Amino acid sequence: MLLGGLVVSTLPHSAPVVRVTTLAVLRQSETGRMTGLSVVLVGLGLLASAWLDLCRETAELGASRWVEGVDLVRSAAVVWTLPLLVAPPLFSRDGWSYAAQGALAHAGLSPYSYGPYALVAQVPGPTSPAPILQAVDPMWMRTVTPYGPLPLLAGRLMASATGNPWVLVVGHRLVALVGLALLAWSVPRLARWVGANPAHAAALVIVSPLMVANGVGGLHNDLLMVGLMATALVVGAERGWVAGALIAGLAASVKVPGGLVCLGIALVTLPAAAQPWRRVRHLAAVGGTTLATVLVLGLVTGLGNGWVGALAVPGELTTVLSLPTMLGQALDAATHAAGVDTRPDLFRSAVRLLATLLLAGVLLRTSLTARTGDRRAALAAVATAVSAFVLLSPVVHLWYLLVIPPFLAPLCLARTSRRATDLLMAGSVVAGLTAPLDSSLHGAYLAIVLGIAVLAAVLLVLWARQVLRGRAAPSGRHPQPA
């Protein structure tokens, strides 16, 4: 993935690696870029295959070896992500935007008021944009950031040390890996809450193709956000709601959806069978503490709280993974095909609004009906909240899915049926293999789709082999089919 990414990913023109003759030839020809894409897809296939083996290995561990299994998964996480530490942002240009936004903050310009293009006046270039801008997606060049103050603070501190965009990207990936480390600490604890195998839960979450390809390779802030969310839930249950709410505030300081974990923190720190009025009052206290953390962090860092006004930025996009958006657009298309003269995005806007109201209803119902003082119920409430958010959001990218497995995987493993776990694993494989569809390799989507189809066919054969081998196993041994 690292080697192929050097060929297919967008890189700054001034990066020394671009001037390597062999790499330059590959990047400038269609054949070379297709070769690089093939290398990336092979890497994704190898990752998926190794992950399935690891999942089967951890699933077969007895309770006496769970600690050993967790250590094995954590070791795999280190080995599998280490090569990607120095890789460019894969399958997305967001990492380059993060570097530019940190440079903006370092230059004294608020990323909530200016897009990266404002750096042109700060660092003028005679013939081409400054290195920090060369790989930023033009679509976001003049757009303010919707992220909270925490990643901007990290970006500003790194930009004060260097202006090299690649070094800044490595720094931001280290920040993302902090989120992965938090998941490696918290997910086994969440699994123990429901009596599930912590090693298997850790394998399902922290080294899945979804996590490695989109979270580590894609270098998205969502990885840090979800790591803080899982940690907040554990700390809230074990150390009190104030500590949990403060960490939830850090999660919301990365991206606003991180605050959804407040629901679980409030439920788990209430006494059993709490009355509705007490639920509402306690949830308000937890949510207020979380919100205060975000606001204070914005003021203390000097970055302010302009993220509130920038929350509408993601809604400008249309993504095929958003069910409300796709349904609304289908209704608009059907209306226009029938000859009805309506506003072009009438149903799209209406369905998005209805989905938002439905999400609010799901959160309200969960907060009023879920069991209180019960760790399993709190975990289920957070899983419900984040799943509803992804299903009903007006904009959904592949990396938005990162928020679901840490809370859903332990619950799936606690069920007597394996079907839920198998579905979760299938979703993780598909979301990992399709990560190149978000790449900047414009005009090559057919090649990407065909390559992914071939990978899927190969993995299907491997899966069938494992199932048949499991059925032929001696009596008394029941290996988990990946």
Side-chain angles (χ1 to χ4, degrees), residues 12-21 23 164 166:
H13 310 313
S14 57
V17 70
V18 175
R19 295 191 289 272
V20 175
T21 304
L23 184 60
N164 187 307
W166 204 308

Side-chain angles (χ1 to χ4, degrees), residues 63 141 292 332 336:
M141 192 67 80
D332 282 325
H336 296 153

Side-chain angles (χ1 to χ4, degrees), residues 225-305:
M225 177 194 75
V226 71
L228 288 167
M229 290 176 70
T231 301
L233 184 57
V234 173
V235 171
E238 298 179 356
R239 296 287 184 265
W241 70 266
V242 174
L246 291 174
I247 299 176
L250 295 180
S253 295
V254 179
K255 295 182 73 173
V256 173
L260 291 173
V261 74
C262 289
L263 178 58
I265 295 172
L267 290 172
V268 78
T269 52
L270 277 167
Q275 296 299 313
W277 65 269
R278 188 168 185 180
R279 290 170 182 254
V280 173
R281 188 176 65 181
H282 189 57
L283 182 59
V286 175
T289 303
T290 295
L291 179 60
T293 302
V294 180
L295 297 177
V296 169
L297 186 60
L299 294 175
V300 169
T301 60
L303 292 167
N305 295 290

Side-chain angles (χ1 to χ4, degrees), residues 393-461:
S393 178
V395 177
V396 178
H397 295 284
L398 278 173
W399 50 90
Y400 284 23
L401 303 179
L402 294 172
V403 75
I404 296 178
F407 307 104
L408 190 59
L411 295 171
C412 290
L413 293 179
R415 294 171 61 91
T416 54
S417 171
R418 289 177 177 169
R419 182 170 300 174
T421 304
D422 290 341
L423 289 175
L424 179 63
M425 294 177 70
S428 296
V429 170
V430 170
L433 294 183
T434 54
L437 287 174
D438 275 300
S439 75
S440 58
L441 200 61
H442 298 299
Y445 290 114
L446 178 59
I448 295 174
V449 170
L450 290 175
I452 290 170
V454 171
L455 269 180
V458 171
L459 286 172
L460 181 61
V461 172

Side-chain angles (χ1 to χ4, degrees), residues 1 44 47 51 77 80-81 84 91 173 176-177 179-184 187 201-220 222-227 230 398-407 409 424 427-433 435:
M1 290 168 63
L44 286 169
L47 170 65
W51 178 66
W80 293 359
T81 60
L84 295 179
F91 321 129
R173 187 168 272 116
L177 289 176
L180 191 68
L182 291 174
L183 287 175
V187 169
L204 287 174
V205 176
I206 68 173
V207 287
S208 70
L210 165 66
M211 187 67 66
V212 176
N214 293 285
V216 181
L219 180 54
H220 295 288
D222 301 69
L223 179 51
L224 177 61
M225 177 194 75
V226 71
L398 278 173
W399 50 90
Y400 284 23
L401 303 179
L402 294 172
V403 75
I404 296 178
F407 307 104
L424 179 63
S428 296
V429 170
V430 170
L433 294 183

Side-chain angles (χ1 to χ4, degrees), residues 346-436:
L346 174 64
F347 287 101
R348 177 176 177 266
S349 301
V351 174
R352 279 183 163 189
L353 177 59
L354 288 174
T356 302
L357 294 176
L358 180 58
L359 173 61
V362 170
L363 297 179
L364 179 61
R365 183 179 184 279
T366 303
S367 64
L368 295 178
T369 61
R371 294 193 310 275
T372 56
D374 185 293
R375 292 185 176 185
R376 180 171 187 154
L379 180 59
V382 177
T384 300
V386 297
S387 299
F389 169 76
V390 172
L391 287 174
L392 300 172
S393 178
V395 177
V396 178
H397 295 284
L398 278 173
W399 50 90
Y400 284 23
L401 303 179
L402 294 172
V403 75
I404 296 178
F407 307 104
L408 190 59
L411 295 171
C412 290
L413 293 179
R415 294 171 61 91
T416 54
S417 171
R418 289 177 177 169
R419 182 170 300 174
T421 304
D422 290 341
L423 289 175
L424 179 63
M425 294 177 70
S428 296
V429 170
V430 170
L433 294 183
T434 54

